[in-house]
Amino acid sequence: MTNIVNSKNQKGQAVLIILLSLSVVLIIVLFIMSRSVTDISLSTKDENALRAFSAAEAGVERVLITGSGTGQLSIGDALFNASVTGFAEGATEVVYPISLKSGENATFWFSRLGETNVYTAPTVKYCWGDKNTTVDGLAPALEITTYYLEAGVYKVARATLDPNSSRASSNNFSAATNGTCTIDGQEFQFYSTIGLPSTGLQYATAKMLYNTTTAHKVAIDGNGLGFFPSQGQKIISDGSYGDANRKLEVFQLHPIAPPVFANAIFSATGITK
């Protein structure tokens, strides 16, 4: 009788162990399946995002080739829609879209042939340097070169603005203000207002100095006194594929002569190859 009871207990324990083992195996299988489904889903999302980004790039390239917006077009199963506008056209303030290190230039246009917007205010405010930039040996100074036409002759006016007072004094630079300057919602650490030629104003270049390790942005503000012509083209392209959407914003600035040619203006003789 005892043997029969023990046999039944052993059978019951064996069934319980088998059920527990099956439960563990089932949990492992479900976990693996869940991970696989998640991985597939993530891979699909990544692939959709990549195709949407490629479609947005295709929109930008089409605008660069044709010079006009695209409307909604397809590339394979992906869609893109790109538009182009004049960058800062008719604005009273301009933030240069590229951060600059020492020796690099930004160009700001005050007038352009064929455009109705011409900046005629007597002054313009320059703002530069990321917010909370420390005034030390690497604090950026700004060299402004303004080009204008007077009595049929192209002329140049220069000013160098430096927030580092000791450096400005030793270099005979003009002192810049160390304080908050906000242009187009972006905050800058340094600013200075300079006078402009009264006639024939063309454009100006702003060269960063001293900031060899950190790039900073630069901007100009007309203080509501004048309107700038376009500074180039602003291209916005939206790409979509599946449930993914990607947007690209690209600036195509007006072409300018390489910086080396600026030296010819101050040369007593011509530049020879």
Side-chain angles (χ1 to χ4, degrees):
M1 188 68 177
T2 302
N3 291 335
I4 294 175
V5 173
N6 290 337
S7 177
K8 288 181 178 180
N9 289 337
Q10 290 174 357
K11 289 180 180 180
Q13 291 174 358
V15 171
L16 182 59
I17 292 172
I18 292 172
L19 291 174
L20 289 173
S21 299
L22 290 174
S23 299
V24 172
V25 172
L26 181 60
I27 291 172
I28 294 174
V29 170
L30 290 175
F31 175 76
I32 293 173
M33 289 179 62
S34 175
R35 287 296 301 271
S36 299
V37 170
T38 301
D39 291 343
I40 293 172
S41 176
L42 291 175
S43 298
T44 301
K45 287 182 180 295
D46 288 343
E47 182 179 355
N48 290 352
L50 182 60
R51 293 192 180 188
F53 184 80
S54 297
E57 285 184 320
V60 171
E61 291 175 1
R62 187 177 180 89
V63 169
L64 292 176
I65 293 172
T66 64
S68 61
T70 65
Q72 190 173 74
L73 296 175
S74 62
I75 175 170
D77 295 331
L79 300 173
F80 64 83
N81 188 348
S83 63
V84 56
T85 57
F87 169 46
E89 185 174 359
T92 60
E93 53 190 22
V94 182
V95 177
Y96 195 71
I98 304 171
S99 296
L100 307 174
K101 283 188 176 182
S102 180
E104 296 178 334
N105 289 277
T107 299
F108 296 102
W109 295 89
F110 297 106
S111 65
R112 284 188 60 81
L113 184 65
E115 293 196 25
T116 57
N117 292 299
V118 177
Y119 190 82
T120 57
T123 62
V124 67
K125 183 179 182 180
Y126 282 87
C127 299
W128 71 97
D130 297 340
K131 184 182 178 183
N132 297 324
T133 298
T134 304
V135 182
D136 55 20
L138 295 177
L142 205 62
E143 179 187 271
I144 309 297
T145 305
T146 305
Y147 298 81
Y148 63 103
L149 185 63
E150 184 177 79
V153 179
Y154 283 97
K155 297 186 177 182
V156 173
R158 271 189 169 172
T160 308
L161 315 170
D162 196 340
N164 187 315
S165 57
S166 61
R167 197 171 58 190
S169 177
S170 62
N171 291 327
N172 200 26
F173 290 169
S174 299
T177 302
N178 178 13
T180 302
C181 172
T182 303
I183 296 182
D184 196 23
Q186 299 188 43
E187 292 186 319
F188 300 84
Q189 188 61 39
F190 313 119
Y191 66 89
S192 187
T193 299
I194 66 171
L196 296 173
S198 58
T199 59
L201 191 59
Q202 303 293 305
Y203 66 95
T205 60
K207 180 194 289 186
M208 288 282 181
L209 302 174
Y210 302 116
N211 58 318
T212 55
T213 59
T214 303
H216 294 271
K217 279 195 172 183
V218 59
I220 54 176
D221 185 2
N223 293 314
L225 301 176
F227 300 95
F228 296 100
S230 73
Q231 307 295 307
Q233 292 184 327
K234 180 179 179 179
I235 303 169
I236 298 177
S237 180
D238 294 296
S240 61
Y241 182 84
D243 60 351
N245 295 278
R246 291 295 182 270
K247 175 184 285 188
L248 285 179
E249 188 174 276
V250 176
F251 295 91
Q252 185 183 36
L253 303 177
H254 293 310
I256 59 172
V260 66
F261 286 101
N263 297 325
I265 298 175
F266 306 100
S267 175
T269 59
I271 293 180
T272 58
K273 185 174 181 182

